Amino acid sequence: MRIYENYSLFDHNTFHLDVKTRWFVEYESEDELVKLMKDEYFLSQKVLHIGKGSNLLFLSDFDGVIVHSGIKGIEIVREDANHIWLKVGAAENWDSFVAFCVDKNWGGIENLSHIPGEVGASAYQNIGAYGAEVSDCISEVHTYFIETGEKKTFHNEDCCYSYRYSFFKGPENKGLYYISHVVYKLSKQPEYKIDYGDLRNRLEGKIIQLSTVREAIIALRQEKLPNPVTEGNAGSFFMNPYICMAHYEGLKKHYRDIPCYPVNDEVVKVPAAWLIEQCGLKGKTLGGAAVSEKQPLVIVNRNRATGGEIALLAEEVQQTVKEKFGIEIRPEVNYI
Ligand code: EPU
């Protein structure tokens, strides 16, 4: 177990905010995690369990313990003619795991290539992109219930997955479980989902296989999203809002090209990027923070922004969109 005091979180949040935590603890095994959960001092502290910090916005220093899993490893737990089940440590890098599966020709998560973060967070956030959600490939989530230290396995249906949501994110469960491993069920006869956005065009003239889909997605993301290495960011800052059909039809009278993704007969999802762009907020800055010109759904740390500046800019975006369209857009990023 590694324990650091007054530790900089600069490399543990993709906004690259220079904030500190009172304690930073990294456990390497389930035994160490169990030991930590029995520690009285630890139990008396404010605790936050993080992955790679790719969805966190620190508003100030953290006066407590930040915990990070160091549990790694990829293990085959079951296999039949069509599928393979892999148990993966929460600390495995997400994109390296995707690359590993693509290389073995196991399909299901290739559309989620190049998403920053770790395996544990994939199950917590229900990451999604290009028409795929990780929940479609999650078989089980192995956790520890912090209050009692007991192990608890959640099957896919217990995780209450929906768009960018899981049981673990729910307000009544947030922070109560540590994810140690995730079991993914992948397909040995991959079916391709390439009808989202520009993906099919990108694949034109290529043999459709997992590796070409992965390459196309990486190229699309590099083209469309700001690079978190040069401009700290947390990917989509906002979720795409759901609105009722009547509201959408009303807006369509004024904005004939308003895009939407149908959810069901009564509800559509509207791209927040479009709403933000229509408000003229692309490139808008506040202090060191900016709404990305490349993809306005993303807020970037352009010039040593503070968490407060990023939050203020986000609030301004939310208010402007609300005033113009009567639509509330909610942050996907967690404010700490
Ligand atoms: N759009 C604009 N202006 C822009 C960019 C986009 O108007 O500058 C509109 C266009 O109408 C476009 C639509 O927004 O068709 C959707 O844009 P895009 O396909 O880029 O995706 P998104 O809906 O904005 C979602 C995810 C992304 C994921 C992409 C691709 C959310 C909150 N975001 O964004 O996820 O990569 O789809 O599948 O659902 C992330 O979560 O960090 C993330 C990047």
Side-chain angles (χ1 to χ4, degrees), residues 274-291:
W274 186 89
L275 299 169
I276 298 168
E277 182 168 359
Q278 295 300 309
C279 291
L281 291 167
K282 248 185 170 177
K284 163 98 190 143
T285 59
L286 194 155
V291 175

Side-chain angles (χ1 to χ4, degrees), residues 15 57 235-239 297-299 310 314 331-333 335:
F15 273 117
L57 177 66
S236 303
F237 195 97
F238 302 101
M239 290 191 266
L297 193 54
V298 180
I299 295 188
I310 293 172
E332 188 193 333
V333 166
Y335 289 36

Side-chain angles (χ1 to χ4, degrees), residues 7 27 58 75 87 89 98 100 196-197 248 260 262 297 300 302:
Y7 183 80
Y27 55 87
F58 286 98
E75 186 194 337
K87 182 179 170 189
V98 176
F100 171 84
Y196 187 95
Y248 178 72
C260 77
L297 193 54
V300 295
R302 182 151 294 163

Side-chain angles (χ1 to χ4, degrees), residues 130 163-164 221 236 238 240 261 271 274 277 282 295-296:
Y130 299 98
Y163 171 62
R164 298 293 201 270
R221 289 184 70 95
S236 303
F238 302 101
N240 288 329
Y261 312 108
W274 186 89
E277 182 168 359
K282 248 185 170 177
Q295 164 53 293

